[in-house]
Amino acid sequence: MHLNSPVRQLEASIDAITVTLASGRVMTARQLVLALPPRLAAQLEFAPALPVPTITAMTTCATWMAGQAKAVAVFDTPFWRDQGLSGDAMSRRGPMVEIHDASPARDGPCALFGFIGVPPDHRHDRAALEQAVTAQLVRLFGPQAAAPRALHLKDWAADPYTATDADRAPLTSHPRYGLPDAMRGLWGGRLLFGGTETAAHFGGYLEGALEAAEDVLSRVHHVAQSPNHA
């Protein structure tokens, strides 16, 4: 396991796949599973190049929720419960369109989190977004929401290991996921896909990740490997 080690190139030979990291480190594998969104995988350098239908299938597979952003406001106590409020809200006034209580049943810290409905191209001003999020929380839950102990913003559309430029366009419905025929049998069956987007039933969700993992495990050839192979 190598942390902070982006993969740059995959090269197939007769009996191995060579993996080259951004650091220049090289590893080899008899089989390889890409457990990441197909659009991200399409940005890797493949040698030999993958067939055009395969690249098309990968790049047109939307990454569910990749264009989303979330705000998490942390407080010492769930003061909204003292007011008889659930902490759940749906709003069209302010940046967050959906808000939920993310606190434990007892003790703290406590939190309110919300999905930000501002499109990716209009949420570059972090300071303005934080101010708008806080103002919305105050309007919904009262003045105690004005001073969270921490306010975290996560914009997945700006995360290069989550989203591509194509994922910035908002999705209007849940994509039809599954493993296309064009993404099967690559490099003699040694290059496999196991991310949630390849799951037939729960694609895009955590359940889909488990489903895809079980499916790809059934397709991995259990072969003895030398210490130099992974």
Side-chain angles (χ1 to χ4, degrees):
M1 180 178 292
H2 300 276
L3 302 180
N4 300 314
S5 303
V7 173
R8 290 290 181 256
Q9 183 189 56
L10 304 176
E11 183 176 359
S13 60
I14 295 177
D15 60 353
I17 296 176
T18 301
V19 181
T20 302
L21 306 181
S23 64
R25 183 185 180 94
V26 173
M27 298 178 292
T28 58
R30 298 195 181 187
Q31 292 178 287
L32 188 71
V33 176
L34 294 173
L36 71 164
R39 277 181 174 170
L40 292 181
Q43 296 179 339
L44 300 175
E45 181 181 346
F46 295 89
L50 298 181
V52 172
T54 300
I55 294 297
T56 299
M58 294 165 69
T59 55
T60 56
C61 180
T63 307
W64 181 240
M65 302 295 283
Q68 297 293 321
K70 184 186 286 187
V72 180
V74 182
F75 303 92
D76 291 325
T77 62
F79 58 84
W80 52 92
R81 295 177 183 174
D82 296 334
Q83 305 171 40
L85 301 177
S86 66
D88 288 0
M90 306 293 278
S91 176
R92 290 297 181 269
R93 185 182 173 192
M96 295 179 292
V97 296
E98 182 181 334
I99 301 169
H100 299 282
D101 186 336
S103 310
R106 295 185 178 86
D107 302 323
C110 304
L112 293 168
F113 86 85
F115 288 102
I116 295 174
V118 180
D121 293 335
H122 298 279
R123 55 185 189 228
H124 298 302
D125 191 334
R126 185 180 181 90
L129 187 56
E130 289 180 352
Q131 184 177 10
V133 165
T134 302
Q136 186 178 14
L137 291 174
V138 170
R139 186 168 59 253
L140 290 170
F141 301 104
Q144 288 177 281
R149 60 188 285 186
L151 179 59
H152 305 284
L153 296 179
K154 175 61 180 180
D155 190 342
W156 283 282
D159 187 335
Y161 298 119
T162 299
T164 67
D165 289 343
D167 291 305
R168 301 177 74 85
L171 296 175
T172 57
S173 62
H174 197 89
R176 293 177 62 88
Y177 284 126
L179 185 63
D181 289 340
M183 293 170 59
R184 297 177 183 271
L186 300 171
W187 290 352
R190 293 180 291 137
L191 180 62
L192 306 168
F193 292 87
T196 181
E197 291 81 12
T198 67
H201 301 291
F202 298 102
Y205 297 114
L206 289 174
E207 292 86 346
L210 299 175
E211 178 188 348
E214 292 176 351
D215 176 68
V216 78
L217 182 62
S218 70
R219 292 184 285 120
V220 168
H221 301 156
H222 296 281
V223 294
Q225 299 177 352
S226 71
N228 294 326
H229 287 71

